Amino acid sequence: MAELPSGLLEACVVIGASSDKLRDVYQLHLQSKLNDPPLLEAEVLQVHAPPFVSKESNSSQSIGPAFSRVQRRKSFIKKKRRDRGAEVPNGETTNRSETSSATEDISVPKDLDLIALPQLCFPGGLQLANEQKEDSYHFLVFTDLFGNRTHGVVVQYYRAVQSCQEGSIQNGHRWNSSKSRLYVPFVVCVISKFPYYNALKDCLSCLLVQLRPARQADVEETIKEFSARLSLVPLPPPGQLHVSFNLRPLHVVLPSREDQDSPVIDIDLHLPFLCFSHTTLLQVLSCLLQEQRMVFFSSDWARLTLVAESLLLYLQPLSWQQPYVPVLAQGMLDFLMAPTAFMMGCHISHFEEVAAETEELILVNIDDGIIQSSWSETIDLPAIPLAAAESFTSRAECLQLHYDLELCHLGAGTDANTLRCQRREWQTRLNTQIQNIALELVVNIFRGVQDFLNHEHRVFNSEEFLRTREPADQAFYKKVLETHIFHSFLRDRLNRKRDTFSRMEQNTRSHAHRNRAMTESPRRPLMSDLSRSGYNSYTSPNDRLSKRLGASLPNLEQPANDTVTALSPHRPASLRKMSPDVGLKFAQKAVKVFRLPDFPPPLAYHYVQNYYSDMVSSLGKAINATPPEQSSLLARYHYLRGLVNTVSNKRLDALEDFQSLYKTDSDIFPSQMVKSLVDSLLEVERLQVEKRPELKRLITRVKRDQERERARNGNGHEEGAVKRFQLPKKYMQLEEFVKCIQESGIVKDQGTIHRLFDALTVGHQKQVGPELFRVFYTIWKETEAEAQEVCLPASVSEHIEPSECVFKLSSSVKTSRGVGKIAMTQRRLFLLTDGRPGYVEVAQYRELEEVKVSSAPFLLLRIPSLKLRVRGRKEAFEANLKTETELWNLMVKEMWAGRNMADQHKDPQYMQQALTNALLMDAVVGSLQSSKAIYAASKLAHFDRIKMEVPMMVPKTTAETLKHKINPSLELAAPQAVDVLLYTPGQLWVSVSGGKVMVFDASSWSLTHTCHVGNAKLNCMLGVDKDQVWMGSEDSVIYIISMVAMVCNRQLTEHRAEVTGLALDTDKYGQKVAYSCSAEGSIMVWDVSTLQAKRHFRLSCDLLQSVFSCNGTLWCCSRDNIMEVWRTGSLKHRLSLPEQQKGSTATFSSILLLPEAEELWSVCADSAEVCIWHIKDTTKPYHRVALQDCSGCYCMIKVKNQVWVGGVGRSSTKGKIYILETERHQVLKELHGHSDKVTALCSAEDRYVLSGAGKLDGKIAIWKVE
């Protein structure tokens, strides 16, 4: 039997006093023996849970026709009645309506616990009344052992006791109705897996309209019909499609979740802003983040849950992990003695009692907007960091919280549903603003956490993270870092979860921070960061004196061009006119509402089946009316229709819908439901599936995905584990040392770590002891901290680039330009003069001509000094660095060599690596403190050694053409091959191993997005339109990424082998079509707008590698031949390898069509020549171009009147690019830019060519096109 996801209704429970007790009480009332209306014990009277109807004749195959999980059930009422029946004398119970057979058969879902429900539905007790009271609503949250939550919406309404006893006869006489009336409360509680608080409250309001005039005998049937109707409501899938239904007199809307990982929000999120001041609200959120024992109080039971739920939604995507009971009944106050952190809610009448008897509680009075602790009237807990709090307050002050102000210009509405719709739209806008503001608060608190994570070893360096926080905020972070809520958040960061936090964190990062993320420099503050103080994330001069300069400096003014999006605390008066979440909004998609057909009589099987048929028909019309470009909306219609077809036993139709869904938005694909559906197929249905290739492929795909999921869960401890970095406790060999250094965050590159290991083990056994590592690590961190404390006055910092950092300061020394400290940045050396700090330029590294150790006379001694000769200056600079001389000599030479290499190779990473080497030298010398320390540090002089051993001159042609380099493998321990490159306007798409795709901004070449598509290597990419990039993978899937949303939620799964090529063309009707080919020879033709395969055919060849469309035919390249094929699939021509290459290991690797010259160019992976064929005469190539010092070619592109060929050299096995002229077929240039073969080429608007290299190099070079 197929398992369905939870529907809107899990169960509907009626609770009240038993009729026995009511009769007894009413007799006393008639006899005037009741002074006050008594308290009675509440009991479960009815339980209604789906399925409500089933097909009797075929019940064994039936899926209960309701949107609810079919599950084993247990009897609740039957057992209770049986027990009570034994106690009551014979004949007493036989005439009572409650013992009808319908009631006897009631059963409840197995995971629904009704024991505590009566108490929670009557938290103040079941109290009879002498007068009719207003209906009241409140809300419940139940949490199971696994942390799964279920939600209850409760309405309490009163009926006269007389009407509850109608028709009953006592001693042969009817009740005397002339007596004063007595009223008894009943509760109807609707339980749902999802927090649809407003929608279910609306539903219960409609139910009460029916219950008020109903006779007591009809109440149970009315509630059962109501429950059965709700069980027919399908829940909307995540995304932009809501579901609505008419329950008379109200129109009820179920809003969808924003995405798969977001919660349902059907609640007024501004309630806490109405209850608390902004300061108090921040205190409450601070206590939640620190996982305190929190108790909320209110005189209104409903307010307790609504405020608590809103507060937890403010913290998204952090999720509360501790016990959570927003409503505690009178008899449950002992829960507050629990020793763990918790979040609970009580009636305000218990405030004094709880405060007096329970220790260490945070008490929040919602009614008065006050927060205090049980031991004092103030809160002695760290506050939320000041900068984040100020930004939150500034934005919150702009919120328009009062709906009445929106109504000022409107007339009186006459239609209730229209008024409700207007209010709902206003509430949705306000909720979105509040979500954005709250998310920004969370982002500002935890910004930069990922900079202290090591994904490979799943380590968080908490000490380093704390070190970068403001001193005043350290206490807050120390508490938060120990909580479960933060641990869960960290786990998501390590798993690279793409949620609202990661999106906003990336969108609001400054450009400097993004660019810096692409250069692996040691963690130091940029000058632009320092000059922006109150330092946002670095020590403020107000808070700490500079150890190096001996004096604190005044705050520097905030520059006008500051790009930080947070609002200034000094808010301009005009800000109220702005949107409070300006700068934070994500692109909002238009929301559609699907209206369900009117409900049928819900307890008749054939009526219910007709209802589902109507729903399928309506969804079919909606699908046909939705244009193909709105694929996201189409996916949601298919989801709903698949759901309805599943529940109405149309399994094959359901599978077809889910197949369409898989292709249009795999993010919301319900794989567990589809697996269950497949398992429930009958034999005759399985035979039909075998005849339908699409369904067969879907089933194969689902099974494969599940196997992967199981394999991943097999490594579940890895997925969930988060380690804190700890210093080693034992001696480490090289492998352990590499892991430890990577975990510490000092450096990731394995080559550098190997050199560091050699340096620390000079002269003794090849292992590093825990004490030596501790000393080295401490010195590294102290140097880092000292650099963060360097506070340069404006007169000095104006000489320095905003992106520069001071990485090293010498002690105060005498130099040829005055007395002071020598400062080292990544660009230059300068002298920070003593006394009033002044700036004296020493040298930019690229201008150095000589660096050597000299000696200066001092009395009868000669003091070691560092001598620098600078291009264009007659006098050398000399500094009496004494014992520091040898170290500075090594560091400056390494920086000089790194600068030269960076300039020659146009690769800024060389400079960053040289800087890391220099700082490691400093830490090695400090930790070894021996005569061999300088020799040991010289092991790290990597670039200086390369300069000495190998002349590093880049050929002139290469130097003139090369403009820049990017390293996509920067965050990895070792480089990875660049598999595919694609340029779309303004963006460069890069595919590296394992389905990882990186997107770079083409104006700054900075990384903007990273996403993963599958787990296999990508072979090809194609920009299909303004919003689609198609990617062909080794796992046989074509993944489609939306350029706007930067998500991959569509897949084409028709290929049976790895997808190797993609091409774009228009058909004879002017419609865009795409072609894809796979290794075994299949070619598929796609309608780009609908993503449907229009046709496919198969070619006979050995490993089909690429497909191109030209003048009405397709050109297909395989390893051993090139084929020209008509669009129908019939072969027109076949080109074989040139004669001299037959029998060798040569295979075609790439082809290029030049239609205007009627030429076809081809290259081979093991050949050093380019073959040029005439399209009309394909018997043999009519021209060959020999490439000098080449052992093979892998890729080709045409740019202007040139062809660029990427290959590998014969003598050096380094990557080479050959530029050929298309007319004369001559080699114009030979470029040397990579240390491994060139694997990918692409053109950026014919102005630049980008080349990517194999895994020994892993970089992308950017070349200027002449």
Side-chain angles (χ1 to χ4, degrees):
M1 188 177 286
E3 182 175 321
L4 293 172
S6 298
L8 178 60
L9 180 91
E10 280 286 297
C12 180
V13 184
V14 180
I15 294 170
S18 70
S19 57
D20 297 354
K21 288 179 182 167
L22 282 181
R23 188 183 54 206
D24 296 342
V25 166
Y26 193 65
Q27 276 189 312
L28 293 172
H29 173 66
L30 289 175
Q31 297 162 18
S32 304
K33 292 182 179 178
L34 288 179
N35 297 326
D36 294 311
L39 267 171
L40 298 180
E41 184 187 349
E43 297 181 13
V44 174
L45 303 178
Q46 303 167 29
V47 180
H48 304 286
F52 290 92
V53 292
S54 62
K55 190 175 180 182
E56 309 302 337
S57 60
N58 193 20
S59 58
S60 63
Q61 308 299 343
S62 170
I63 300 170
F67 292 95
S68 169
R69 293 165 305 147
V70 176
Q71 51 195 325
R72 190 182 305 128
R73 301 180 171 278
K74 59 184 181 185
S75 173
F76 183 81
I77 302 246
K78 192 152 81 174
K79 177 176 181 294
K80 196 174 77 176
R81 292 279 143 71
R82 210 168 32 239
D83 294 346
R84 191 188 301 157
E87 295 166 12
V88 180
N90 286 337
E92 289 278 315
T93 61
T94 52
N95 292 326
R96 292 181 198 152
S97 61
E98 293 88 15
T99 57
S100 69
S101 61
T103 311
E104 281 297 310
D105 290 339
I106 286 173
S107 59
V108 297
K110 69 176 191 296
D111 55 355
L112 192 61
D113 181 11
L114 300 182
I115 304 299
L117 196 59
Q119 276 193 81
L120 291 169
C121 288
F122 287 101
L126 195 161
Q127 178 89 49
L128 273 67
N130 288 321
E131 58 184 7
Q132 179 72 285
K133 290 192 175 181
E134 280 191 346
D135 309 328
S136 68
Y137 293 80
H138 68 275
F139 309 93
L140 303 173
V141 181
F142 316 100
T143 310
D144 67 14
L145 289 171
F146 304 104
N148 303 310
R149 288 182 190 155
T150 309
H151 308 267
V153 179
V154 177
V155 62
Q156 195 176 115
Y157 71 101
Y158 284 77
R159 287 180 74 88
V161 174
Q162 292 93 320
S163 67
C164 298
Q165 303 295 330
E166 72 186 21
S168 295
I169 296 174
Q170 180 67 19
N171 297 329
H173 301 286
R174 291 193 175 274
W175 299 114
N176 181 353
S177 58
S178 62
K179 277 279 181 186
S180 65
R181 297 174 80 81
L182 193 62
Y183 295 89
V184 60
F186 288 89
V187 150
V188 181
C189 174
V190 175
I191 296 170
S192 175
K193 284 286 180 193
F194 293 90
Y196 281 111
Y197 296 119
N198 286 339
L200 291 175
K201 183 178 171 183
D202 290 347
C203 293
L204 285 170
S205 301
C206 296
L207 172 66
L208 289 190
V209 172
Q210 293 176 283
L211 287 182
R212 283 195 191 97
R215 296 180 310 132
Q216 182 63 22
D218 299 332
V219 166
E220 180 171 344
E221 193 64 18
T222 304
I223 294 174
K224 186 175 182 181
E225 282 203 6
F226 164 80
S227 307
R229 283 195 180 95
L230 291 192
S231 76
L232 300 179
V233 177
L235 292 182
Q240 77 236 55
L241 183 67
H242 298 350
V243 164
S244 74
F245 53 94
N246 197 339
L247 211 51
R248 294 198 176 87
L250 296 181
H251 201 69
V252 182
V253 176
L254 295 184
S256 58
R257 294 179 286 164
E258 194 174 322
D259 55 51
Q260 198 79 334
D261 297 315
S262 297
V264 167
I265 296 179
D266 187 29
I267 192 173
D268 298 351
L269 283 182
H270 66 293
L271 293 180
F273 284 92
L274 299 177
C275 298
F276 305 110
S277 68
H278 299 142
T279 306
T280 307
L281 183 54
L282 284 165
Q283 280 183 305
V284 173
L285 293 174
S286 175
C287 293
L288 286 171
L289 287 171
Q290 294 171 64
E291 287 188 351
Q292 296 298 304
R293 299 166 72 222
M294 301 191 67
V295 188
F296 291 79
F297 295 89
S298 176
S299 57
D300 183 340
W301 296 107
R303 210 176 289 168
L304 287 170
T305 305
L306 295 177
V307 168
E309 288 280 282
S310 297
L311 292 170
L312 293 186
L313 286 169
Y314 292 175
L315 297 182
Q316 286 289 323
L318 282 81
S319 59
W320 180 257
Q321 308 283 313
Q322 302 291 352
Y324 171 52
V325 188
V327 171
L328 283 177
Q330 283 178 356
M332 297 177 169
L333 293 183
D334 56 336
F335 281 29
L336 300 177
M337 307 302 288
T340 60
F342 54 70
M343 186 176 178
M344 299 192 188
C346 295
H347 196 271
I348 193 73
S349 58
H350 302 300
F351 188 92
E352 298 301 331
E353 178 190 349
V354 170
E357 295 190 15
T358 320
E359 295 179 357
E360 296 182 359
L361 293 184
I362 302 296
L363 311 176
V364 182
N365 183 335
I366 295 173
D367 297 349
D368 295 339
I370 295 168
I371 181 171
Q372 66 181 72
S373 60
S374 55
W375 63 92
S376 79
E377 290 194 3
T378 57
I379 297 288
D380 186 24
L381 282 170
I384 277 177
L386 182 64
E390 285 180 345
S391 175
F392 176 83
T393 304
S394 301
R395 291 192 184 277
E397 284 171 3
C398 308
L399 286 170
Q400 179 56 270
L401 299 172
H402 300 285
Y403 183 56
D404 289 350
L405 292 174
E406 293 281 312
L407 299 177
C408 293
H409 66 289
L410 299 175
T414 55
D415 180 54
N417 279 317
T418 305
L419 292 173
R420 281 161 46 77
C421 185
Q422 287 174 354
R423 163 74 201 216
R424 194 163 45 241
E425 285 173 4
W426 174 82
Q427 190 65 56
T428 303
R429 283 196 305 273
L430 181 58
N431 280 0
T432 303
Q433 291 176 345
I434 290 171
Q435 280 176 275
N436 285 338
I437 292 172
L439 178 59
E440 188 202 32
L441 175 70
V442 174
V443 168
N444 285 340
I445 292 171
F446 297 111
R447 186 185 295 283
V449 161
Q450 64 271 34
D451 296 341
F452 300 86
L453 293 175
N454 180 294
H455 290 86
E456 188 182 359
H457 303 297
R458 299 189 68 80
V459 169
F460 173 59
N461 200 325
S462 53
E463 286 183 21
E464 288 311 297
F465 174 74
L466 279 172
R467 207 182 295 228
T468 61
R469 306 296 104 177
E470 292 277 4
D473 300 332
Q474 299 254 343
F476 171 83
Y477 284 108
K478 279 177 184 168
K479 275 188 170 289
V480 171
L481 263 54
E482 298 302 321
T483 60
H484 290 84
I485 197 171
F486 181 73
H487 187 273
S488 171
F489 170 76
L490 264 191
R491 196 166 55 236
D492 287 341
R493 298 316 105 202
L494 281 169
N495 294 339
R496 300 183 190 274
K497 188 172 182 180
R498 185 88 180 133
D499 55 16
T500 50
F501 178 93
S502 58
R503 287 198 292 272
M504 183 180 279
E505 205 275 344
Q506 190 166 39
N507 291 345
T508 57
R509 272 190 170 200
S510 67
H511 279 290
H513 201 118
R514 279 187 214 167
N515 291 343
R516 192 174 174 211
M518 284 309 295
T519 53
E520 191 183 24
S521 63
R523 202 175 285 116
R524 302 289 193 276
L526 306 176
M527 282 301 137
S528 55
D529 286 333
L530 294 175
S531 64
R532 209 185 269 147
S533 49
Y535 301 2
N536 280 350
S537 57
Y538 297 101
T539 311
S540 166
N542 284 349
D543 294 324
R544 187 186 288 183
L545 292 175
S546 166
K547 290 178 188 169
R548 292 300 183 115
L549 298 175
S552 65
L553 299 162
N555 268 345
L556 307 173
E557 286 186 14
Q558 186 150 328
N561 64 347
D562 190 354
T563 57
V564 174
T565 57
L567 298 177
S568 161
H570 308 294
R571 197 164 45 86
S574 63
L575 200 59
R576 280 199 175 275
K577 296 173 188 173
M578 296 164 60
S579 167
D581 55 347
V582 63
L584 304 177
K585 296 177 188 173
F586 301 119
Q588 292 290 320
K589 292 179 181 173
V591 167
K592 285 270 185 184
V593 180
F594 175 68
R595 184 166 179 169
L596 303 182
D598 286 343
F599 289 117
L603 298 176
Y605 182 83
H606 65 281
Y607 283 127
V608 170
Q609 289 300 321
N610 291 341
Y611 172 74
Y612 290 141
S613 298
D614 290 347
M615 213 189 299
V616 167
S617 172
S618 297
L619 285 163
K621 288 175 186 171
I623 287 168
N624 293 332
T626 305
E629 57 269 19
Q630 293 186 19
S631 59
S632 180
L633 182 59
L634 272 173
R636 274 128 192 99
Y637 284 137
H638 280 299
Y639 180 104
L640 269 183
R641 195 168 70 177
L643 204 59
V644 179
N645 278 324
T646 303
V647 84
S648 55
N649 284 336
K650 295 176 181 171
R651 299 178 184 83
L652 297 185
D653 291 348
L655 284 175
E656 273 191 2
D657 277 313
F658 291 133
Q659 164 69 7
S660 301
L661 166 64
Y662 197 85
K663 291 198 316 196
T664 45
D665 194 341
S666 58
D667 275 0
I668 61 169
F669 183 75
S671 53
Q672 195 56 43
M673 193 202 311
V674 175
K675 177 192 177 293
S676 177
L677 191 59
V678 170
D679 291 344
S680 71
L681 289 176
L682 306 176
E683 193 56 42
V684 64
E685 290 170 327
R686 290 184 190 280
L687 291 172
Q688 286 177 280
V689 166
E690 288 297 316
K691 297 173 188 171
R692 290 157 80 167
E694 282 210 345
L695 296 188
K696 203 172 167 185
R697 278 196 291 272
L698 174 71
I699 292 169
T700 308
R701 169 75 40 196
V702 167
K703 286 179 179 170
R704 194 188 308 167
D705 288 350
Q706 285 180 322
E707 282 164 16
R708 279 187 194 146
E709 192 68 31
R710 274 198 295 272
R712 205 176 298 136
N713 291 342
N715 304 326
H717 62 282
E718 279 300 314
E719 282 285 304
V722 182
K723 294 184 285 187
R724 296 283 173 90
F725 172 67
Q726 292 182 328
L727 290 170
K729 295 183 173 61
K730 59 180 184 178
Y731 279 82
M732 293 178 289
Q733 306 287 348
L734 176 59
E735 191 177 329
E736 295 161 315
F737 180 77
V738 168
K739 184 181 175 186
C740 191
I741 287 287
Q742 287 175 340
E743 286 184 2
S744 71
I746 292 175
V747 67
K748 293 175 185 168
D749 175 61
Q750 286 188 352
T752 306
I753 301 173
H754 285 193
R755 290 189 286 275
L756 176 60
F757 183 76
D758 289 342
L760 289 174
T761 55
V762 159
H764 59 85
Q765 197 176 353
K766 290 294 178 186
Q767 55 182 11
V768 175
E771 181 57 24
L772 174 59
F773 189 92
R774 187 190 62 78
V775 172
F776 168 79
Y777 181 77
T778 305
I779 289 173
W780 174 269
K781 292 304 171 190
E782 282 176 352
T783 312
E784 193 174 84
E786 286 165 0
Q788 290 185 7
E789 290 163 15
V790 175
C791 306
L792 302 177
S795 59
V796 174
S797 59
E798 67 187 13
H799 295 278
I800 296 173
E801 297 283 331
S803 61
E804 278 185 86
C805 323
V806 172
F807 285 90
K808 173 76 178 160
L809 270 177
S810 72
S811 49
S812 191
V813 295
K814 182 183 177 186
T815 76
S816 56
R817 305 285 297 276
V819 177
K821 297 170 180 144
I822 297 174
M824 180 177 87
T825 77
Q826 68 267 52
R827 290 173 184 265
R828 75 191 81 221
L829 298 170
F830 67 89
L831 184 67
L832 202 55
T833 56
D834 281 354
R836 182 184 175 87
Y839 173 89
V840 177
E841 175 96 14
V842 173
Q844 293 200 17
Y845 301 120
R846 60 164 55 98
E847 293 171 356
L848 287 170
E849 287 186 334
E850 185 185 25
V851 178
K852 67 176 184 179
V853 174
S854 181
S855 56
F858 179 74
L859 300 177
L860 299 174
L861 304 172
R862 297 196 70 78
I863 297 171
S865 66
L866 183 69
K867 189 176 259 186
L868 309 176
R869 291 202 174 275
V870 183
R871 195 182 307 126
R873 291 191 203 159
K874 290 182 181 176
E875 291 183 10
F877 173 82
E878 193 166 359
N880 300 352
L881 281 158
K882 304 170 193 166
T883 54
E884 294 180 73
T885 304
E886 292 282 358
L887 172 61
W888 275 86
N889 175 52
L890 279 178
M891 290 196 301
V892 175
K893 279 184 173 176
E894 182 69 3
M895 296 295 281
W896 178 25
R899 180 75 268 168
N900 285 343
M901 281 193 71
D903 287 347
Q904 287 173 19
H905 292 266
K906 308 293 187 345
D907 187 348
Q909 205 211 333
Y910 285 122
M911 192 66 237
Q912 303 299 339
Q913 206 173 330
L915 178 57
T916 300
N917 293 342
L919 293 169
L920 289 171
M921 291 175 192
D922 181 35
V924 165
V925 169
S927 54
L928 291 181
Q929 294 290 337
S930 70
S931 57
K932 293 182 178 176
I934 293 297
Y935 171 68
S938 69
K939 297 275 186 187
L940 289 153
H942 179 56
F943 294 120
D944 191 40
R945 187 178 300 109
I946 290 175
K947 192 171 90 172
M948 301 293 287
E949 292 172 359
V950 187
M952 285 305 297
M953 283 305 293
V954 172
K956 186 183 177 190
T957 310
T958 300
E960 288 172 348
T961 314
L962 183 62
K963 290 300 164 199
H964 189 62
K965 274 199 181 173
I966 306 170
N967 184 8
S969 303
L970 191 66
E971 289 189 357
L972 306 172
Q976 293 183 329
V978 176
D979 296 324
V980 195
L981 292 172
L982 171 71
Y983 178 83
T984 60
Q987 291 178 315
L988 172 66
W989 299 71
V990 182
S991 161
V992 292
S993 66
K996 182 179 179 183
V997 178
M998 306 172 84
V999 185
F1000 293 84
D1001 178 351
S1003 59
S1004 61
W1005 303 117
S1006 58
L1007 180 69
T1008 57
H1009 294 92
T1010 302
C1011 55
H1012 286 262
V1013 290
N1015 301 307
K1017 176 189 167 191
L1018 296 179
N1019 292 321
C1020 48
M1021 289 198 272
L1022 178 70
V1024 172
D1025 59 23
K1026 290 178 183 174
D1027 186 39
Q1028 285 185 32
V1029 172
W1030 290 23
M1031 302 179 177
S1033 170
E1034 273 188 356
D1035 64 8
S1036 80
V1037 178
I1038 298 171
Y1039 295 95
I1040 301 177
I1041 287 191
S1042 160
M1043 286 193 237
V1044 176
M1046 277 303 165
V1047 291
C1048 172
N1049 54 11
R1050 286 176 285 174
Q1051 302 175 9
L1052 306 179
T1053 58
E1054 277 74 356
H1055 280 289
R1056 303 269 56 82
E1058 65 175 288
V1059 181
T1060 51
L1062 292 165
L1064 198 61
D1065 199 3
T1066 51
D1067 63 14
K1068 59 186 176 184
Y1069 306 110
Q1071 297 292 315
K1072 258 189 193 176
V1073 291
Y1075 297 93
S1076 60
C1077 66
S1078 51
E1080 92 292 19
S1082 288
I1083 291 182
M1084 307 208 77
V1085 188
W1086 303 91
D1087 184 323
V1088 169
S1089 59
T1090 62
L1091 302 183
Q1092 297 296 318
K1094 297 173 74 172
R1095 61 182 176 276
H1096 73 277
F1097 49 87
R1098 186 159 179 172
L1099 303 174
S1100 173
C1101 60
D1102 175 30
L1103 187 66
L1104 187 55
Q1105 298 180 130
S1106 57
V1107 60
F1108 301 91
S1109 178
C1110 175
N1111 296 335
T1113 60
L1114 299 177
W1115 289 82
C1116 308
C1117 175
S1118 71
R1119 279 202 299 209
D1120 55 355
N1121 55 48
I1122 300 165
M1123 294 153 284
E1124 186 181 9
V1125 182
W1126 295 108
R1127 283 177 173 174
T1128 57
S1130 55
L1131 187 67
K1132 184 180 177 186
H1133 290 300
R1134 188 186 290 267
L1135 289 71
S1136 298
L1137 283 165
E1139 282 298 323
Q1140 40 287 55
Q1141 291 170 2
K1142 283 184 180 172
S1144 72
T1145 56
T1147 56
F1148 286 120
S1149 57
S1150 180
I1151 65 170
L1152 181 67
L1153 285 158
L1154 305 182
E1156 64 280 359
E1158 296 188 333
E1159 288 177 354
L1160 171 74
W1161 294 41
S1162 69
V1163 291
C1164 295
D1166 299 305
S1167 168
E1169 64 179 15
V1170 179
C1171 295
I1172 303 169
W1173 313 67
H1174 216 295
I1175 286 178
K1176 292 183 177 174
D1177 177 16
T1178 54
T1179 51
K1180 61 178 182 179
Y1182 79 88
H1183 194 79
R1184 288 185 171 88
V1185 182
L1187 304 177
Q1188 280 191 341
D1189 188 32
C1190 175
S1191 64
C1193 303
Y1194 300 91
C1195 47
M1196 277 193 298
I1197 58 165
K1198 178 180 180 289
V1199 188
K1200 294 183 178 174
N1201 62 342
Q1202 302 169 355
V1203 172
W1204 291 52
V1205 181
V1208 64
R1210 185 178 298 282
S1211 58
S1212 64
T1213 67
K1214 292 192 174 178
K1216 283 191 169 187
I1217 296 172
Y1218 299 88
I1219 304 177
L1220 283 72
E1221 191 183 51
T1222 53
E1223 290 178 13
R1224 290 182 291 170
H1225 303 154
Q1226 292 178 345
V1227 177
L1228 298 175
K1229 288 182 184 176
E1230 195 177 303
L1231 307 176
H1232 307 252
H1234 296 283
S1235 54
D1236 198 354
K1237 64 185 179 188
V1238 176
T1239 54
L1241 288 168
C1242 80
S1243 161
E1245 298 166 2
D1246 278 1
R1247 292 167 53 214
Y1248 297 97
V1249 167
L1250 299 104
S1251 60
K1255 65 181 180 182
L1256 298 178
D1257 178 279
K1259 293 182 181 178
I1260 297 164
I1262 301 164
W1263 309 88
K1264 178 79 174 153
V1265 177
E1266 294 297 327

